Amino acid sequence: METKSIMIVGVGGQGSLLASRIIGNVLLSQGFDVKVSEVHGMSQRGGSVVTYVKYGDKVYSPVIEKGEADIIVSFELLEAARWISYLKKGGHLITSTQTLDPMPVITGAAKYPENIIEKIKNLGIDIIAADALALAEEAGNAKTSNVVLMGLIASKMSFDESVWKEAIKNCVPEKFLELNLKAFDLGKNI
């Protein structure tokens, strides 16, 4: 099998590291060689966070170059636009419609870009945009928007739903398990 690449992008505190652990757990359970690389940046200050996940028969490096990502999962809309050049032709972009103002917008030095989804669609990119935050709140906790997006990515990958739920069980503390499984189901059923 050729190596496949997934990028998870967002802002610090959105749960991208848990998402990468869930995806890694799914892939390992299916017998793939998996490499994960986490680039935190200023994640603790609300800065950009990027996680690379590569899998296949044999993976030598977790790094994903521009034009290589089969799937990009974005937890924030501007991050989707920021990293779109890493998506390969024919790849899939899954994004939350949530917006978080970056520092230049907060200080008034810039304006948050408008019509991001339409601009991405106009590039001919397969994009699924969902209000993951609203679905997470429906599940019972806004912090589960990352797992809502795991439900969405599961719809683009050919692994059985039970494999994803087992990965969530392996990665989420027991006291938050039912909440996260509900969030996953809401994302999977979009």
Side-chain angles (χ1 to χ4, degrees):
M1 172 195 180
E2 71 176 86
T3 301
K4 299 280 188 183
S5 302
I6 301 169
M7 285 181 69
I8 302 166
V9 300
V11 174
Q14 288 189 296
S16 60
L17 301 182
L18 173 60
S20 66
R21 283 195 298 274
I22 292 170
I23 293 171
N25 196 287
V26 165
L27 297 169
L28 284 170
S29 76
Q30 300 304 295
F32 292 107
D33 184 24
V34 180
K35 300 284 188 282
V36 178
S37 174
E38 301 164 352
V39 180
H40 299 274
M42 292 293 287
S43 62
Q44 293 183 345
R45 306 270 188 264
S48 189
V49 178
V50 181
T51 303
Y52 304 125
V53 179
K54 283 182 117 171
Y55 67 101
D57 292 332
K58 186 66 183 157
V59 179
Y60 297 98
S61 168
V63 177
I64 299 171
E65 301 294 335
K66 287 185 177 183
E68 276 189 351
D70 294 281
I71 300 173
I72 294 177
V73 180
S74 178
F75 292 5
E76 197 274 340
L77 206 47
L78 187 56
E79 292 298 316
R82 182 173 296 168
W83 295 98
I84 200 70
S85 64
Y86 284 77
L87 190 65
K88 74 167 40 170
K89 189 174 179 83
H92 308 288
L93 172 62
I94 297 167
T95 187
S96 174
T97 57
Q98 182 177 4
T99 60
L100 296 170
D101 289 343
M103 195 53 67
V105 173
I106 292 169
T107 63
K111 291 181 92 173
Y112 197 96
E114 296 179 358
N115 306 317
I116 292 174
I117 294 170
E118 292 79 15
K119 289 174 183 173
I120 291 172
K121 283 181 180 177
N122 289 339
L123 296 173
I125 292 171
D126 175 36
I127 180 173
I128 299 173
D131 191 344
L133 182 59
L135 291 169
E137 289 169 345
E138 182 181 332
N141 189 323
K143 291 183 178 184
T144 62
S145 64
N146 57 345
V147 181
V148 168
L149 291 170
M150 293 301 92
L152 276 169
I153 193 174
S155 71
K156 288 290 184 187
M157 299 180 79
S158 60
F159 308 118
D160 192 74
E161 184 175 326
S162 63
V163 172
W164 286 93
K165 289 187 174 184
E166 188 62 31
I168 293 168
K169 288 176 188 174
N170 291 337
C171 297
V172 172
E174 180 68 34
K175 66 182 177 178
F176 300 117
L177 182 57
E178 287 307 313
L179 180 68
N180 280 277
L181 290 173
K182 185 175 180 183
F184 176 83
D185 286 337
L186 287 169
K188 182 100 169 69
N189 293 318
I190 288 180

